[in-house]
């Protein structure tokens, strides 16, 4: 890894692997800070050991990573692979025939380690896996402070912290998607502060992350899939999802930067694709989508400098509200009387790319699809279906449903010149059954085909950008991020609410994936009105879009908006490629986000609390101490003001807020 070492060791009895050290390179030279140096009265040795990954059986009392319906005791079975970036260590149990390969993969360019496990049933009988974590991480803290992201619809990514002196802390989802309630991400620090460790899961289904205070006082974090038992037939292999672990001497902010670097790596060459400024018409027209109003919006959007026009829900046959139409993915001929292709052509003639919303996994009871294939939804024979948002969910794990969705995408993307797809998912599956297959791995099947479809889109239509969405931020995790270009963190687009959501989001995920629109929505939680500038600066913190009903914006507002869009275009490469430092939090009187890339630093700053009464009363400018600059260098802002690095680091970047100037963008260039 770039600056981190993760060291494991095999004790002489070779029954399990132990964590030795996880920290800055070199930390492994010396006695392990995580080893149990005492006895384990009343317990087994494994119960007190910093085990890497053990089955229930071997570690019966203090938490195991793998639970079958019978106890498993295994022994080291050799290294399947050991290269500078990968390690695959096998453990085998003679009695059940189970073979587990503990997999490790690192990137020399980041401080992120990937871990997962592969289980093969080498025995004659089916094995029942009741719980399979992907990895366990031992963290050498004395008293753990856990940071997690929680919330609900329209209130995702709220950062919370809890001190765990003893016992277990657990978060997760049983919704078949990561869900709005918790993000599959957790960070750990000692209450004394200092370095931080983080884990982030790459799994688009149900999951859990548990943190246990071990009997040694250290903390052990386990992460993996959740849900019903998985059957493993003889000869079958189960590959658990990857979990990313990150360490940073720079605390939570540093862990965030490590995960950002990992997500930039996941994007590969697609990182260099400019994420266009989109206009999305959802908040303006909701289900009342028709050619005239969409074109009116598109014309204004083009004038504002937007690069992409996205038609959201409501464009397809029969979709007049949320009770109908899902599944019938053909453009509504009444809404587009001149044809959908001609409509798209007109949008494109404005110089805009064209994007379309779909919810491929969903079906309305009132749809042709449901009439023709009532058996395609998750269901239990003899039980009524449960409607959520008036819709049902397709059993995407079925091969015929997968084929239907693939064909639907192929048809849309070949019939129309679509540049951008917003893939939504607005309900979890319940009741969750597939008649005739009572022991199918429904969650695993669904996720596998969701990934296959995203991979198909990437491979077959590499120029099409994909936005991941699930009723806002219901499916934001590393596996989706690896297969999409941006994700939609929340349906809440109000200024202060959004700033809070984005603050939490950036702890776990990178700005180049964070889609954000400027709207006129007042919000639900902190409804203090904020200026257009504030709303634009907020959306500039990630991938800027506009979602307001811009038909109602005055000429002055439109002119101001166009200037903000132009400014954003000049800073977006720094925002999307830069190292992020979060300065303060939205709960403070003011806060900022610093993005540094090469010789350029962009600071986005928001006045989030009370003003100080200046100039009528005595007061001082707000100051934002920047980070990671060269104290001896000189930096010049866009107005020509020059600051030493030492000043910016220690006195801080000065910004004057007024009632109308409640946010700012400062671009600093380091002088050669
Ligand atoms: C979900 C999405 C929104 C919008 C609506 C359309 O709520 O999160 O952005 O697309 O569906 O129905």
């Amino acid at each position: 890894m770039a600056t981190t070492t993760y060291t494991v060791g095999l004790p002489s009895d070779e029954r399990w692997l132990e964590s030795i050290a996880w920290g800055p390179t070199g930390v492994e030279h010396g006695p392990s800070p995580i080893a149990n140096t005492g006895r384990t009265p009343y317990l087994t040795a494994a119960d007190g050991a910093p085990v890497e990954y053990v089955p229930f059986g071997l570690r019966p009392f203090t938490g195991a990573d793998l639970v079958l319906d019978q106890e498993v005791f295994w022994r080291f079975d050799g290294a399947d692979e050991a290269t500078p970036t990968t390690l695959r260590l096998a453990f085998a149990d003679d009695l059940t025939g189970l073979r587990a390969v503990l997999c490790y993969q690192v990137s020399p360019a980041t401080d992120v380690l990937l871990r997962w496990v592969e289980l093969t049933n080498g025995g004659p009988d089916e094995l029942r896996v009741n719980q399979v974590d992907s990895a366990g991480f031992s963290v050498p803290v004395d008293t753990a402070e856990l940071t997690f992201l929680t919330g609900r619809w329209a209130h995702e990514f709220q950062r919370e912290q809890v001190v765990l002196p003893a016992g277990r802390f657990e978060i997760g989802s049983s919704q078949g998607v990561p869900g709005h309630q918790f993000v599959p991400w957790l960070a750990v620090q000692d209450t004394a502060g200092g370095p931080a460790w983080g884990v982030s899961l790459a799994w688009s289904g149900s999951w859990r992350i548990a943190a246990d205070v071990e009997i040694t006082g250290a903390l052990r974090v386990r992460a993996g899939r959740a849900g019903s038992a998985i059957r493993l037939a003889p000869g079958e292999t189960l590959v658990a999802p990857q979990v990313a672990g990150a360490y940073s001497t720079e605390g939570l902010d540093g862990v965030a930067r490590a995960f950002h670097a990992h997500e930039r790596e996941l994007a590969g060459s697609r990182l260099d694709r400019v994420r266009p400024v989109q206009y999305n018409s959802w908040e303006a027209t909701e289900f009342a989508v028709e050619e005239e109003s969409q074109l009116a919006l598109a014309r204004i959007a083009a004038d504002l400098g937007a690069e992409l026009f996205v038609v959201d829900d409501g464009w397809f046959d029969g979709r007049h509200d949320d009770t109908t139409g899902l599944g019938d993915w053909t453009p509504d001929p009444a809404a587009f009387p001149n044809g959908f292709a001609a409509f798209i052509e007109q949008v494109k003639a404005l110089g805009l790319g064209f994007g379309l919303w779909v919810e491929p996994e969903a079906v309305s009871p009132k749809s042709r699809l449901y009439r023709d294939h009532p058996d395609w939804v998750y269901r239990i024979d003899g039980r009524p279906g449960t409607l959520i948002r008036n819709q049902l969910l397709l059993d995407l794990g079925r091969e015929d449903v997968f084929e239907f969705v693939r064909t639907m995408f192929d048809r849309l993307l070949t019939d129309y010149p679509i540049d951008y797809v917003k893939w939504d998912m607005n309900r979890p599956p319940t009741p969750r059954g597939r008649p005739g297959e009572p022991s199918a791995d429904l969650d695993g099947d669904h996720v596998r085909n969701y990934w296959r479809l995203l991979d198909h889109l990437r491979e077959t239509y590499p120029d099409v950008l994909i936005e991941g969405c699930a009723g806002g931020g219901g499916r934001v995790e590393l596996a989706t991020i690896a297969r999409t270009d941006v994700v939609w963190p929340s349906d809440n687009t109000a200024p202060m609410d959004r700033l809070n959501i984005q603050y939490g989001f950036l702890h776990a995920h990178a700005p180049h994936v964070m889609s954000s629109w400027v709207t006129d929505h007042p919000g639900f939680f902190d409804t203090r009105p904020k200026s257009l500038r504030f709303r634009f600066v907020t959306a500039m913190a990630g991938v800027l879009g506009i979602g307001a009903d811009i038909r109602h914006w005055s000429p002055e507002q439109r002119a101001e908006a166009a200037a903000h869009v132009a400014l954003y275009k000049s800073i977006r490469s720094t925002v999307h490629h830069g190292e992020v430092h979060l300065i303060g939090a939205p709960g403070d009187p003011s806060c900022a986000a610093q993005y540094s890339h090469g010789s350029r630093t962009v600071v986005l700053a928001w006045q989030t609390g009370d003003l100080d009464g200046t100039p009528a009363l005595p007061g001082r400018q707000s100051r934002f101490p920047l980070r990671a600059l060269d104290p001896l260098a000189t930096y010049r802002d866009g107005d020509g003001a020059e600051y030493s690095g030492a000043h910016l680091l220690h006195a801080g970047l000065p910004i004057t807020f007024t009632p109308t100037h409640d946010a700012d963008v400062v671009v600093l260039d380091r002088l050669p």
Side-chain angles (χ1 to χ4, degrees):
M1 285 175 275
T3 67
T4 307
T5 300
Y6 189 94
T7 314
V8 294
L10 196 62
S12 54
D13 61 8
E14 300 197 342
R15 288 184 296 164
W16 59 78
L17 198 64
E18 280 188 17
S19 176
I20 305 282
W22 184 14
T25 304
V27 72
E28 68 279 17
H29 299 302
S32 166
I34 204 80
N36 174 18
T37 52
R39 297 187 304 116
T40 46
Y42 215 78
L43 297 167
T44 73
D47 284 307
V51 290
E52 278 290 288
Y53 192 93
V54 285
F56 179 74
L58 261 184
R59 200 181 208 234
F61 303 119
T62 57
D65 308 292
L66 177 68
V67 183
L68 271 58
D69 60 357
Q70 55 187 303
E71 297 192 18
V72 169
F73 298 81
W74 63 33
R75 217 164 255 290
F76 183 57
D77 194 37
D80 280 7
E81 191 181 348
T83 74
T85 55
T86 56
L87 184 63
R88 294 170 59 89
L89 300 174
F91 288 80
D93 176 25
D94 292 342
L95 212 60
T96 56
L98 179 72
R99 190 168 193 267
V101 183
L102 279 49
C103 306
Y104 297 81
Q105 190 181 313
V106 297
S107 153
T110 73
D111 284 307
V112 167
L113 153 92
L114 296 177
R115 287 188 56 191
W116 70 101
V117 64
E118 297 178 4
L119 304 175
T120 300
N121 181 358
D125 302 317
E126 180 182 89
L127 295 175
R128 203 179 128 106
V129 181
N130 294 321
Q131 170 64 44
V132 52
D133 287 323
S134 291
F137 294 92
S138 296
V139 181
V141 287
D142 288 330
T143 306
E145 181 173 61
L146 308 177
T147 303
F148 60 105
L149 301 168
T150 181
R152 51 194 142 134
W153 177 80
H155 198 48
E156 300 90 333
F157 294 101
Q158 303 300 308
R159 197 190 97 151
E160 293 289 347
Q161 295 186 309
V162 64
V163 174
L164 191 69
R168 174 173 302 170
F169 170 86
E170 187 166 328
I171 52 177
S173 159
S174 57
Q175 296 186 13
V177 285
H180 297 85
Q181 214 176 340
F182 297 105
V183 177
W185 175 93
L186 183 76
V188 184
Q189 278 185 294
D190 198 287
T191 46
W197 294 259
V199 298
S200 189
L201 195 60
W203 181 246
S204 313
S206 301
W207 61 278
R208 70 158 198 154
I209 297 178
D212 287 281
V213 177
E214 297 272 286
I215 56 171
T216 57
L219 192 82
R220 188 156 188 275
V221 179
R222 288 179 278 146
R225 293 181 56 171
S228 43
I230 302 167
R231 318 243 170 184
L232 206 55
E236 238 182 347
T237 296
L238 173 71
V239 180
Q242 293 185 334
V243 54
Y247 167 83
S248 174
T249 53
E250 294 169 12
L252 296 175
D253 216 40
V255 159
R257 280 189 290 283
F259 284 130
H260 295 179
H262 177 58
E263 291 182 356
R264 288 195 293 269
E265 212 169 61
L266 288 177
S269 61
R270 292 181 78 99
L271 181 64
D272 297 326
R273 302 271 298 274
V274 172
R275 271 102 178 121
V277 176
Q278 71 165 289
Y279 178 82
N280 180 302
S281 60
W282 170 244
E283 288 200 21
T285 53
E286 294 207 342
F287 296 103
V289 171
E290 47 74 44
E291 187 172 310
E292 283 282 290
S293 57
Q294 298 304 303
L295 286 175
L297 289 163
R299 280 185 213 105
I300 304 167
D303 285 347
L304 301 186
E307 298 159 312
L308 173 77
F309 185 78
V310 181
V311 176
D312 209 280
D313 198 350
W315 59 270
F316 46 99
D317 221 1
R319 184 70 166 170
H320 305 302
D321 54 37
D322 69 7
T323 64
T324 58
L326 293 169
D328 299 342
W329 303 108
T330 46
D332 181 355
F336 301 98
N338 304 307
F340 202 51
F343 162 69
I344 298 175
E345 220 170 89
Q346 292 195 66
V347 171
K348 293 213 160 186
L350 296 165
L352 297 164
F354 182 75
L356 201 58
W357 176 96
V358 279
E359 194 181 346
E361 295 142 282
V363 61
S364 303
K366 281 189 249 165
S367 65
R368 289 193 301 276
L369 181 69
Y370 188 66
R371 189 195 58 208
D372 295 346
H373 299 286
D375 54 325
W376 279 8
V377 299
Y378 286 113
R379 69 204 162 87
I380 296 173
D381 274 342
R383 301 255 179 227
T386 309
L387 294 180
I388 298 178
R389 208 196 189 204
N390 297 307
Q391 65 196 56
L392 296 163
L393 200 73
L394 294 174
D395 177 355
L396 187 63
R398 289 172 59 124
E399 212 45 31
D400 45 9
V401 173
F402 168 84
E403 273 307 318
F404 161 77
V405 176
R406 193 178 59 81
T407 311
M408 177 276 284
F409 272 124
D410 286 343
R411 191 174 37 76
L412 278 178
L413 294 174
T414 45
D415 284 359
Y416 304 109
I418 293 170
D419 305 296
Y420 188 96
V421 168
K422 177 177 170 189
W423 178 322
D424 201 353
M425 199 261 206
N426 280 308
R427 60 152 296 168
T430 181
R432 200 166 201 192
R434 184 186 298 159
E437 290 187 50
S439 52
D441 176 13
L442 298 182
D443 208 35
D445 292 349
H446 194 112
V447 169
R448 193 189 61 242
N449 279 350
Y450 165 64
W451 292 355
R452 274 173 77 200
L453 284 162
L454 287 171
D455 292 342
H456 169 71
L457 293 179
R458 279 261 168 121
E459 276 155 29
T460 318
Y461 312 98
D463 295 336
V464 174
L465 294 173
I466 301 172
E467 174 168 7
C469 171
R475 190 157 55 184
V476 177
E477 41 71 41
L478 292 177
T480 292
I481 284 172
R483 293 168 171 85
T484 55
D485 299 289
V486 294
V487 289
W488 181 234
S490 177
D491 282 344
N492 191 335
T493 55
M496 282 302 293
D497 287 357
R498 189 68 173 202
L499 195 62
N500 256 302
I501 289 165
Q502 296 187 171
Y503 174 69
F505 184 99
L506 289 173
H507 278 66
H509 301 299
H512 75 272
V513 305
M514 188 173 77
S515 183
S516 187
W517 312 336
V518 176
T519 73
D520 293 321
H521 203 289
F524 303 106
F525 299 94
D526 184 342
T527 54
R528 279 176 292 164
K530 292 288 173 188
S531 71
L532 192 60
R533 169 195 293 272
F534 186 106
R535 287 175 273 150
F536 264 98
V537 176
T538 300
M540 287 183 205
V543 179
L544 178 129
I546 301 172
D549 191 345
I550 47 182
R551 292 171 299 184
H552 300 316
W553 281 7
S554 67
E556 294 73 32
Q557 282 176 306
R558 291 185 195 174
E560 185 188 335
H564 292 311
V565 171
L567 171 63
Y568 165 73
K569 287 177 182 169
S570 74
I571 61 167
R572 78 176 141 191
S573 94
T574 307
V575 171
H576 296 170
H577 293 82
E579 294 282 300
V580 181
H581 297 266
L582 298 173
I583 301 166
D588 298 334
S590 60
C591 66
Q594 172 190 341
Y595 303 79
S596 293
H597 188 237
S599 58
R600 176 160 281 195
T601 287
V602 169
V603 180
L604 309 181
W606 299 272
Q607 186 259 319
T608 38
D610 292 341
L611 290 165
D612 66 357
T614 52
L617 302 172
R620 293 180 301 149
Q621 285 176 299
S622 296
R623 288 278 177 166
F624 297 94
L626 304 186
R627 315 244 180 81
L629 300 180
D630 178 355
L632 300 178
T634 302
Y635 296 82
R636 181 186 291 154
D637 74 13
D639 297 328
E642 292 186 4
Y643 307 91
S644 70
H647 185 89
L648 294 171
L649 289 165
H650 303 294
L653 176 71
I655 291 184
T656 302
F657 291 121
T658 68
T660 51
H661 190 92
D662 53 6
D664 211 345
V665 177
V666 180
V667 179
L668 294 161
D669 285 311
R670 181 190 163 135
L671 300 185

